[in-house]
Amino acid sequence: MIEICKVSKSYNKGKVKAVDEVSLTVHDGEIFGFLGPNGAGKTTLIKMITGILNADQGSIKINGRDIRGNPLEAKMQFGFVPDDPNIFSRLTGIEYLNFMADIYRVSSITRVQRIKELLERFEMSLAAADLIQSYSHGMKQKIIVIGALLHNPPVWILDEPMTGLDPRSSFDLKEMMREHADAGKTVFFSTHVLEVAEKLCDRLAIINKGRVIFCGSLQEIRAHAQANQSLENLFLELTENE
Amino acid sequence: MNSYWALLKILIINYFGISLFQIKNQKNRRPYLKKLGLFLIIIAAIAPTIALYAKLLIQGFDLLAPLGQEGAILTLGIVLVSSIVFVFGIFYVINFFYFAADAQSLLALPLSGYQVLGARFSVVLINEYLSALPFLLPPLLIYGIKSGASALYWLYAAVGFLLVPLLPLSLATIPTVLIMRFANLSRRKDLLKILGGLLVIALAVGYQLLFQKSGPNAMDPAFLQDLLTDRSGLMNLMSRVFPSTRYLGLALINADQLGGLVNLLQFAGLSLLAVALAWLTGEKLYFKGLVGSSETTAKRKMLSEADYRRLGKGLPPVLSYWAKEMRLLFRTPTYFINSVMTNLLVPILLTIPFFIQGRNQTTAMPWEKLLSAASGQTILMAAIIGIIVFMTGSNAITATSISREGREFFISKYIPLSYRKQILAKLLSAYLLGVSGAVLLVIAVRVLMPLDNSLIAMLLGVSMVAITPVIEAGLIIDLYNPKLNWENEQQAFKQNFNVVFSMLLAILLGGAIIYIVIRFIHTPVSAALFMLLGFGLAASLLYYFLMTWGVKRCQELAG
Ligand SMILES: Nc1ncnc2c1ncn2[C@@H]1O[C@H](COP(=O)(O)OP(=O)(O)OP(=O)(O)O)[C@@H](O)[C@H]1O
Ligand SMILES: [Mg+2]
């Protein structure tokens, strides 16, 4: 569960208000999509949830642990997939996974089993011993997804996870998100692609210029739309009128 | 040639960060003022050393003048500068020719090898002139003024100054370009680049060995007599390291004779020939050493059961984080060459000249007398600790430890490892490398000098403590203002003022404590106690500061 309460953040000494009094609650067992056009403030909010940025105002709790008050426990609760997968290029895939397992204190037995299982699932077993530098964009994305899942986190946070993945991997990832939610855990992801949100989410929030302009289930959003207006038009309209 | 000039202009602007347009712009003036301020600080920091150097030269002149050997101070300066240019040159060339951010991108332009290499060579040359200035100007001035030299001398001196760095820089360029060409053949590029860098440095050291060995024994009486009777005897002895430097020395002392002009032309000819050779090598091999240098191997091999089992062991989080730091330090060529190598190289470079002299049984080494007195041992101890402190400050491992993370810094923020522990892991990496450098230096000194075991033990003990405040201060500097916005690892290191600050701080800290020891303390034991106390106190204070302010600073820094 993620509880976001009246969170704001501005850049450049207040000139750019990237996130403006956002309040959201993401429940256990659901996939929550965070939808918005480029520059809407999605990454900024995710950075605050994960402790990368400090919020100017408001509080964020992950499974009841405040990210500012109790950061280490809060950080233990989630696995994070950042939007830029270009990290640790001078480590091999397996070194990276082992590093993450150490940091998240995954026991030896679980670690071997999970790394093996996830590598196979993402068809990364062959590349694991190579430097991440030698991976393609999608492969980098996959190794990071695996790293984020090693400790079987109760909350899974992903920033634009589908970009750069081929249809097959994208499908696998969506399936894993579904499984994760069905196991009673929380999945929170951002996207600017409407179809992804539409197909995958139990609930979603639409954000534009730092403000949440809609939050609810797909049915609710459809009801919100006029009779035969497509979801796409609604999205366009909502984000334009602001 | 046009493209050469265009390229040179761009490289200079990039390298020195100067652009007239920006200087005129009011808003952008601050960074330049900052740079100017830094420059002044550096000058202030090295001014005492230069003053001492000048004083020694003046004394040397007065001492040698009755023997007609005063020209030796010129050769001393020229040889010193040539060696400095050469050693710096190797690092400049490796870094700026091969690891620089724009090294790859220039490949796409329609330029030939000698143009690109030539332009880069020229930028490095400008740098070398700056480094040469404080060492070459004093002897030229002192000799000229004290000997009442003619206008021709001053003309030759100016030309000579411009010529001096050419040959050693070419000598640094040629083997580097050659070796990097072959380092690029293999697919383990990073590793080979590092090995290539090491090989170049080894060759450089070997070269020096060769030229110093081949000369006559300095203690041979017949040679000594020659030395003192021939007007350029002492000069010849010193110029053995860079034989061509003799010509410039001769040109300067014989400036008023035709022979002087001939010597100057000889020197110019040799220097220009070396440059031509270097550029020719560049034309043939430079691009081949660059093409595809960012490719890496991909074996795409299945992990075996044994691999998985090994993986299962795991490490405590702090140690795992530390292991990651070490891996990146050793695997990234820029970091390896500039910090790990510097740290291990200094002890070796420092002791080599003494090895070459050889431990002659019949002649006493100058320090043997020194070492027999307690005060001598104290001075030696202070000096060695000073070098260790300086080495640790200049390897800049902690002073770049946040900067090196660059855009990846956000990872430190979201992983569930406390900032306290991350700081500890970073200190540990630097500490281990610092200790290895210190131990290496102490071993080298022990090989050279007959030191008691108790003195060795004290040296080791004190250095373990002495490096601690230095690495802590480095981390504080980097935490205060890390350089996180870079595209190329080179920038995290070479264009990072924190490295300079860390070095200056090490000079100040080491200098202060050593000054006190030499001035007020006369026995090794009390010196060791004093230093343990002094460095220990500084270490504890800085540690406390890191654990309070430092941790808070980590929280504030945005990923
Ligand atoms: N480091 C920064 N400094 C200043 N402004 C920033 C910074 N990062 C983001 N912004 C601004 O904050 C706003 C929100 O950016 P954010 O990255 O959160 O958008 P986003 O929704 O993730 O967009 P995208 O879909 O393109 O990833 C934008 O106006 C952006 O320009
Ligand atoms: Mg984004």
Short mmCIF file of all heavy atoms in Angstrom, two decimals, chain B residues 56 74 115 141 162 174 180 188 195 214 240 256 259 272 274 287 311 316 367 399 417 423 455 472 493 515 533 541 545:
data_model
loop_
_atom_site.label_atom_id
_atom_site.label_comp_id
_atom_site.label_asym_id
_atom_site.label_seq_id
_atom_site.Cartn_x
_atom_site.Cartn_y
_atom_site.Cartn_z
N LEU B 56 67.80 27.92 -3.91
CA LEU B 56 68.79 26.87 -4.15
C LEU B 56 69.58 27.16 -5.43
O LEU B 56 70.79 26.96 -5.48
CB LEU B 56 68.09 25.51 -4.27
CG LEU B 56 67.65 24.88 -2.97
CD1 LEU B 56 66.87 23.61 -3.23
CD2 LEU B 56 68.87 24.60 -2.11
N LEU B 74 71.33 25.91 -15.43
CA LEU B 74 70.44 25.92 -16.60
C LEU B 74 70.04 24.50 -16.96
O LEU B 74 68.86 24.18 -17.14
CB LEU B 74 71.15 26.57 -17.78
CG LEU B 74 71.33 28.08 -17.71
CD1 LEU B 74 72.19 28.54 -18.86
CD2 LEU B 74 69.97 28.75 -17.74
N GLN B 115 45.93 15.56 -38.13
CA GLN B 115 45.26 16.81 -37.75
C GLN B 115 44.67 16.72 -36.36
O GLN B 115 44.83 17.62 -35.53
CB GLN B 115 44.14 17.13 -38.75
CG GLN B 115 44.67 17.62 -40.07
CD GLN B 115 43.58 17.74 -41.12
OE1 GLN B 115 42.63 16.95 -41.11
NE2 GLN B 115 43.71 18.70 -41.99
N LEU B 141 66.16 33.06 -15.63
CA LEU B 141 66.28 34.42 -15.12
C LEU B 141 67.55 34.58 -14.28
O LEU B 141 68.32 35.52 -14.46
CB LEU B 141 65.06 34.77 -14.26
CG LEU B 141 63.77 35.06 -15.01
CD1 LEU B 141 62.64 35.31 -14.04
CD2 LEU B 141 63.97 36.28 -15.92
N LEU B 162 60.30 27.74 -25.45
CA LEU B 162 59.23 27.22 -26.30
C LEU B 162 59.57 25.83 -26.83
O LEU B 162 58.69 25.01 -27.07
CB LEU B 162 58.97 28.17 -27.47
CG LEU B 162 58.37 29.51 -27.05
CD1 LEU B 162 58.19 30.41 -28.26
CD2 LEU B 162 57.03 29.31 -26.34
N ILE B 174 54.65 9.04 -28.63
CA ILE B 174 54.90 7.94 -29.56
C ILE B 174 54.59 6.56 -28.95
O ILE B 174 53.77 5.83 -29.50
CB ILE B 174 56.32 8.02 -30.15
CG1 ILE B 174 56.44 9.30 -30.99
CG2 ILE B 174 56.64 6.80 -31.00
CD1 ILE B 174 57.85 9.63 -31.40
N MET B 180 48.51 1.95 -27.53
CA MET B 180 47.05 2.02 -27.56
C MET B 180 46.51 1.40 -28.84
O MET B 180 45.43 0.84 -28.86
CB MET B 180 46.58 3.46 -27.43
CG MET B 180 46.70 3.98 -26.03
SD MET B 180 46.19 2.79 -24.80
CE MET B 180 45.65 3.82 -23.50
N ARG B 188 38.87 -7.27 -25.06
CA ARG B 188 38.78 -6.81 -23.67
C ARG B 188 39.36 -5.40 -23.61
O ARG B 188 40.46 -5.19 -23.12
CB ARG B 188 39.57 -7.73 -22.73
CG ARG B 188 39.03 -9.11 -22.56
CD ARG B 188 37.72 -9.16 -21.80
NE ARG B 188 37.72 -8.37 -20.58
CZ ARG B 188 37.73 -8.88 -19.36
NH1 ARG B 188 37.75 -10.16 -19.19
NH2 ARG B 188 37.69 -8.10 -18.31
N LEU B 195 46.15 -1.92 -19.16
CA LEU B 195 47.46 -2.54 -19.29
C LEU B 195 48.36 -1.70 -20.19
O LEU B 195 49.54 -1.53 -19.92
CB LEU B 195 47.31 -3.95 -19.86
CG LEU B 195 46.70 -4.96 -18.89
CD1 LEU B 195 46.61 -6.32 -19.53
CD2 LEU B 195 47.51 -5.03 -17.61
N SER B 214 73.81 4.21 -18.09
CA SER B 214 74.88 4.15 -19.08
C SER B 214 75.98 5.18 -18.82
O SER B 214 77.02 5.14 -19.42
CB SER B 214 74.31 4.33 -20.48
OG SER B 214 73.77 5.62 -20.57
N ARG B 240 72.17 13.58 -18.97
CA ARG B 240 72.11 12.20 -19.46
C ARG B 240 70.68 11.68 -19.56
O ARG B 240 70.39 10.80 -20.36
CB ARG B 240 72.93 11.29 -18.55
CG ARG B 240 74.41 11.36 -18.86
CD ARG B 240 75.08 10.06 -18.51
NE ARG B 240 74.76 9.67 -17.15
CZ ARG B 240 75.60 9.85 -16.12
NH1 ARG B 240 76.76 10.39 -16.28
NH2 ARG B 240 75.25 9.46 -14.92
N ASP B 256 76.87 34.04 -27.11
CA ASP B 256 77.53 35.10 -27.87
C ASP B 256 78.46 34.58 -28.95
O ASP B 256 79.03 35.35 -29.71
CB ASP B 256 78.31 36.00 -26.91
CG ASP B 256 77.36 36.71 -25.99
OD1 ASP B 256 76.21 36.95 -26.43
OD2 ASP B 256 77.72 36.99 -24.83
N GLY B 259 79.14 29.09 -32.02
CA GLY B 259 78.85 27.73 -31.53
C GLY B 259 77.49 27.67 -30.86
O GLY B 259 76.76 26.70 -30.98
N LEU B 272 62.06 19.36 -33.26
CA LEU B 272 61.07 19.35 -34.32
C LEU B 272 60.99 17.97 -34.98
O LEU B 272 59.92 17.51 -35.36
CB LEU B 272 61.38 20.43 -35.35
CG LEU B 272 61.22 21.84 -34.77
CD1 LEU B 272 61.63 22.90 -35.79
CD2 LEU B 272 59.80 22.09 -34.29
N ALA B 274 61.41 15.20 -33.45
CA ALA B 274 60.62 14.37 -32.54
C ALA B 274 59.13 14.64 -32.74
O ALA B 274 58.32 13.70 -32.80
CB ALA B 274 61.01 14.65 -31.10
N PHE B 287 43.96 6.87 -35.18
CA PHE B 287 42.56 6.49 -35.36
C PHE B 287 42.33 5.01 -35.13
O PHE B 287 41.32 4.60 -34.58
CB PHE B 287 42.09 6.86 -36.77
CG PHE B 287 41.71 8.31 -36.88
CD1 PHE B 287 41.38 8.88 -38.11
CD2 PHE B 287 41.67 9.12 -35.76
CE1 PHE B 287 41.04 10.21 -38.21
CE2 PHE B 287 41.32 10.46 -35.85
CZ PHE B 287 41.01 11.01 -37.09
N LEU B 311 27.56 -17.58 -6.19
CA LEU B 311 26.72 -16.42 -6.03
C LEU B 311 25.92 -16.47 -4.74
O LEU B 311 25.63 -15.47 -4.12
CB LEU B 311 25.82 -16.43 -7.24
CG LEU B 311 24.84 -15.41 -7.66
CD1 LEU B 311 24.78 -15.52 -9.15
CD2 LEU B 311 23.50 -15.75 -7.10
N PRO B 316 27.59 -9.06 3.45
CA PRO B 316 26.77 -8.06 4.15
C PRO B 316 26.65 -6.82 3.27
O PRO B 316 27.58 -6.53 2.51
CB PRO B 316 27.59 -7.74 5.40
CG PRO B 316 28.55 -8.86 5.54
CD PRO B 316 28.79 -9.42 4.20
N TRP B 367 72.05 9.99 3.10
CA TRP B 367 71.16 9.96 4.26
C TRP B 367 71.71 9.12 5.41
O TRP B 367 71.14 9.10 6.48
CB TRP B 367 69.78 9.45 3.86
CG TRP B 367 69.84 8.16 3.11
CD1 TRP B 367 70.14 6.93 3.58
CD2 TRP B 367 69.58 8.00 1.72
NE1 TRP B 367 70.10 6.02 2.59
CE2 TRP B 367 69.75 6.64 1.43
CE3 TRP B 367 69.23 8.89 0.70
CZ2 TRP B 367 69.57 6.13 0.14
CZ3 TRP B 367 69.05 8.37 -0.57
CH2 TRP B 367 69.22 7.02 -0.85
N ALA B 399 37.56 12.22 -2.87
CA ALA B 399 37.18 13.54 -3.37
C ALA B 399 36.37 13.45 -4.65
O ALA B 399 35.79 14.43 -5.10
CB ALA B 399 38.41 14.40 -3.59
N LEU B 417 20.06 1.09 2.08
CA LEU B 417 21.33 1.02 2.78
C LEU B 417 21.57 2.42 3.32
O LEU B 417 21.54 3.39 2.56
CB LEU B 417 22.45 0.63 1.81
CG LEU B 417 23.84 0.46 2.41
CD1 LEU B 417 23.88 -0.70 3.39
CD2 LEU B 417 24.88 0.23 1.32
N ILE B 423 28.68 5.86 3.32
CA ILE B 423 29.87 6.68 3.57
C ILE B 423 31.02 5.80 4.05
O ILE B 423 32.15 5.91 3.59
CB ILE B 423 29.54 7.78 4.61
CG1 ILE B 423 28.64 8.84 3.96
CG2 ILE B 423 30.80 8.41 5.17
CD1 ILE B 423 28.17 9.93 4.91
N LEU B 455 61.43 1.81 13.81
CA LEU B 455 61.10 2.98 13.01
C LEU B 455 60.08 2.60 11.94
O LEU B 455 59.11 3.34 11.68
CB LEU B 455 62.36 3.55 12.36
CG LEU B 455 62.26 5.00 11.89
CD1 LEU B 455 61.99 5.93 13.05
CD2 LEU B 455 63.53 5.41 11.17
N GLU B 472 38.80 11.42 4.73
CA GLU B 472 37.54 11.98 5.24
C GLU B 472 37.30 13.37 4.69
O GLU B 472 36.21 13.71 4.24
CB GLU B 472 37.57 12.02 6.77
CG GLU B 472 37.43 10.63 7.40
CD GLU B 472 37.77 10.62 8.87
OE1 GLU B 472 38.38 11.61 9.36
OE2 GLU B 472 37.45 9.63 9.55
N PHE B 493 36.54 13.27 -13.27
CA PHE B 493 37.85 13.31 -12.64
C PHE B 493 38.67 14.51 -13.05
O PHE B 493 39.15 15.26 -12.23
CB PHE B 493 38.61 12.03 -13.00
CG PHE B 493 39.35 11.49 -11.84
CD1 PHE B 493 38.88 10.40 -11.15
CD2 PHE B 493 40.51 12.11 -11.41
CE1 PHE B 493 39.54 9.93 -10.05
CE2 PHE B 493 41.19 11.64 -10.31
CZ PHE B 493 40.71 10.55 -9.63
N TYR B 515 55.66 20.41 9.59
CA TYR B 515 56.41 21.59 10.01
C TYR B 515 56.59 21.57 11.52
O TYR B 515 57.69 21.75 12.03
CB TYR B 515 55.66 22.86 9.59
CG TYR B 515 56.29 24.11 10.12
CD1 TYR B 515 57.43 24.63 9.51
CD2 TYR B 515 55.78 24.76 11.23
CE1 TYR B 515 58.03 25.78 9.99
CE2 TYR B 515 56.37 25.91 11.72
CZ TYR B 515 57.50 26.42 11.10
OH TYR B 515 58.10 27.54 11.59
N LEU B 533 48.56 11.52 17.55
CA LEU B 533 47.59 12.34 18.26
C LEU B 533 46.96 13.37 17.31
O LEU B 533 45.74 13.51 17.24
CB LEU B 533 48.31 13.06 19.40
CG LEU B 533 47.43 13.39 20.60
CD1 LEU B 533 47.13 12.11 21.36
CD2 LEU B 533 48.15 14.40 21.49
N LEU B 541 37.43 14.10 14.56
CA LEU B 541 36.55 15.25 14.34
C LEU B 541 35.86 15.14 12.99
O LEU B 541 34.64 15.32 12.88
CB LEU B 541 37.36 16.54 14.40
CG LEU B 541 37.80 16.97 15.79
CD1 LEU B 541 38.67 18.22 15.72
CD2 LEU B 541 36.57 17.22 16.67
N PHE B 545 31.95 14.75 11.96
CA PHE B 545 31.32 15.67 11.02
C PHE B 545 30.63 14.90 9.87
O PHE B 545 29.50 15.20 9.48
CB PHE B 545 32.38 16.62 10.47
CG PHE B 545 31.82 17.75 9.67
CD1 PHE B 545 30.98 18.69 10.26
CD2 PHE B 545 32.12 17.89 8.33
CE1 PHE B 545 30.45 19.73 9.53
CE2 PHE B 545 31.60 18.93 7.58
CZ PHE B 545 30.76 19.85 8.19
#
